[in-house]
Amino acid sequence: MSLTKHPSVGEFLAGCEEHVNPYRPARLALCPMAADAEISDVSTSDTAREGDFVILWGSYTQIFGIVLKHGEIANNRFGNFHHDEIIGRHFGSRVRSRRGGLWLALLRPSPEFITQSLTHRTQIVYHADISLLRALLDARPGHIICEAGTGSGSVSASLSRALRPNGKLYTFEFHEERQKQAMADFSTYGVLDVVVSQHRDVCNHGFGEELKGQVHGVFLDLPAPWAAVPHVTKCLVFGGKVVAFSPCVEQVDKTATELRRSGYFDVRMLETLATNWGVKRQDATKKKRRTEGTTGTTAAQEAEEEEPKDVPKTSGTGEQWLSYQMPMRSHTGYLLVATRAPDGD
């Protein structure tokens, strides 16, 4: 394993200031044009403002999403972070707890940060699968995508980013309370100009007459996705794709059988496994090891461990940075994809 020199966390996060913030909730406006002007104005700001939805980043597994409000306090394992001390700070800077001296990085939200910080109302889909299904659905500006099974809104956040501008995401959730909570989250993320959230059981009631023959791609995250296939066929354009996420291969088999029976072609199943890499500080001090004697017993002599020759030396600090493989999530689910053929083919 090679050792490489990496910038400090602060130096790395400083590069985040050039990004835009599409997740700030839009202020109330008297007309759609005024609302668009507010969103456009916010996206160019390089400092956090009251009402912004922002990310406080502590580590790969400690990511917190908050809406900034005067007088509020964000409490977590790193300490107490007063919103008044965050408002006006530049994105990419450190914000410190009033006690203990621990700090978090102030970042703009991204779909991945939203996935890692949202409240889990259901099992969620992570970005190893989300990135692939976005490509399979050809989610891009101007397209119309349907999602059956909103859940916690992890996929919805990513699709809404891909469909801007001029696209639409129609997302359906059969559980009424979860749909209301997801709607509140979409308002917090500031994506209601793209997302249309509805409470509906698409397996029994379909996607609605207004979407008949208008949808470019459909994502199914349902216990019985095969039951929704007839309704998918009604709304999907010729050449449009349907992608179903299923944790069990038995679900995949039933769905694939129904898709082939309904005239879909290029039916394929894919599985994605992602390997994450981290960077940590490693002391450059020489370690000692005990060696085995010739008689097989432990010898008293100590040998200095030789340092790798390709490790870059640091000036004065004696620090090195180590790239290492992090624990990998095992199987999460299968992605089944198929393309709708024209009628009569």
Side-chain angles (χ1 to χ4, degrees):
M1 182 178 294
S2 63
L3 296 172
T4 57
K5 177 70 172 67
H6 293 271
S8 67
V9 175
E11 292 171 341
F12 172 78
L13 296 175
C16 298
E17 296 188 12
E18 297 181 358
H19 294 284
V20 297
N21 182 6
Y23 290 108
R24 186 181 192 275
R27 294 190 181 95
L28 294 177
L30 298 179
C31 65
M33 292 181 63
D36 290 341
E38 287 289 339
I39 295 173
S40 175
D41 176 66
V42 170
S43 66
T44 60
S45 175
D46 61 352
T47 59
R49 304 196 295 188
E50 183 179 18
D52 280 353
F53 174 70
V54 301
I55 295 294
L56 297 181
W57 187 94
S59 71
Y60 178 75
T61 58
Q62 299 293 326
I63 300 173
F64 313 95
I66 63 171
V67 177
L68 295 177
K69 298 179 181 178
H70 283 296
E72 296 287 329
I73 302 174
N75 300 305
N76 52 56
R77 61 175 297 181
F78 293 91
N80 305 322
F81 296 85
H82 293 247
H83 290 204
D84 289 335
E85 298 176 359
I86 300 175
I87 295 172
R89 299 291 298 274
H90 286 271
F91 288 106
S93 62
R94 298 179 181 184
V95 293
R96 295 188 178 275
S97 171
R98 287 193 175 182
R99 293 185 178 180
L102 296 178
W103 61 272
L104 296 172
L106 173 63
L107 302 177
R108 291 184 173 89
S110 68
E112 184 176 13
F113 284 153
I114 289 176
T115 292
Q116 293 175 306
S117 63
L118 56 74
T119 301
H120 287 213
R121 294 182 288 270
T122 60
Q123 291 293 324
I124 68 171
V125 181
Y126 290 93
H127 270 261
D129 293 305
I130 292 175
S131 58
L132 179 57
L133 71 87
R134 276 179 51 170
L136 294 172
L137 290 173
D138 191 23
R140 54 191 171 95
H143 272 200
I144 297 176
I145 301 293
C146 281
E147 176 190 19
T150 307
S152 302
S154 173
V155 176
S156 307
S158 287
L159 289 176
S160 65
R161 164 71 71 87
L163 295 172
R164 272 179 171 166
N166 303 323
K168 281 291 182 182
L169 171 65
Y170 292 86
T171 180
F172 302 88
E173 172 61 49
F174 80 95
H175 191 282
E176 185 174 6
E177 185 60 30
R178 282 205 296 263
Q179 186 272 331
K180 291 180 180 178
Q181 293 171 338
M183 189 72 172
D185 287 343
F186 297 147
S187 177
T188 298
Y189 305 153
V191 297
L192 291 181
D193 59 317
V194 180
V195 178
V196 178
S197 176
Q198 298 183 27
H199 169 234
R200 179 181 294 182
D201 182 358
V202 298
C203 293
N204 293 318
H205 306 294
F207 295 91
E209 289 297 320
E210 68 276 9
L211 294 177
K212 186 176 181 180
Q214 302 296 317
V215 178
H216 299 94
V218 176
F219 173 61
L220 303 176
D221 187 4
L222 304 169
W226 57 88
V229 171
H231 302 293
V232 171
T233 304
K234 292 180 181 179
C235 71
L236 202 59
V237 300
F238 301 140
K241 286 184 170 58
V242 55
V243 176
F245 179 85
S246 301
C248 302
V249 72
E250 292 81 6
Q251 295 169 299
V252 174
D253 182 53
K254 289 184 178 181
T255 307
T257 299
E258 181 62 25
L259 288 168
R260 292 189 179 97
R261 191 190 66 80
S262 301
Y264 286 77
F265 68 94
D266 194 22
V267 181
R268 297 172 290 150
M269 184 188 76
L270 304 166
E271 182 182 22
T272 304
L273 297 176
T275 301
N276 296 306
W277 288 82
V279 178
K280 65 180 180 181
R281 181 185 292 115
Q282 177 171 297
D283 292 337
T285 56
K286 295 181 180 180
K287 299 179 181 179
K288 296 184 178 181
R289 64 185 180 191
R290 302 180 69 87
T291 60
E292 295 293 324
T294 56
T295 60
T297 59
T298 302
Q301 69 182 64
E302 296 178 341
E304 291 185 348
E305 190 173 35
E306 183 180 356
E307 294 183 356
K309 296 180 180 180
D310 59 344
V311 177
K313 303 295 183 181
T314 56
S315 57
T317 62
E319 293 181 348
Q320 298 167 354
W321 293 88
L322 172 66
S323 299
Y324 66 100
Q325 183 175 332
M326 301 177 67
M328 183 179 69
R329 288 190 177 94
S330 59
H331 167 76
T332 55
Y334 301 104
L335 289 177
L336 180 68
V337 58
T339 305
R340 188 195 170 189
D343 292 338
D345 286 10

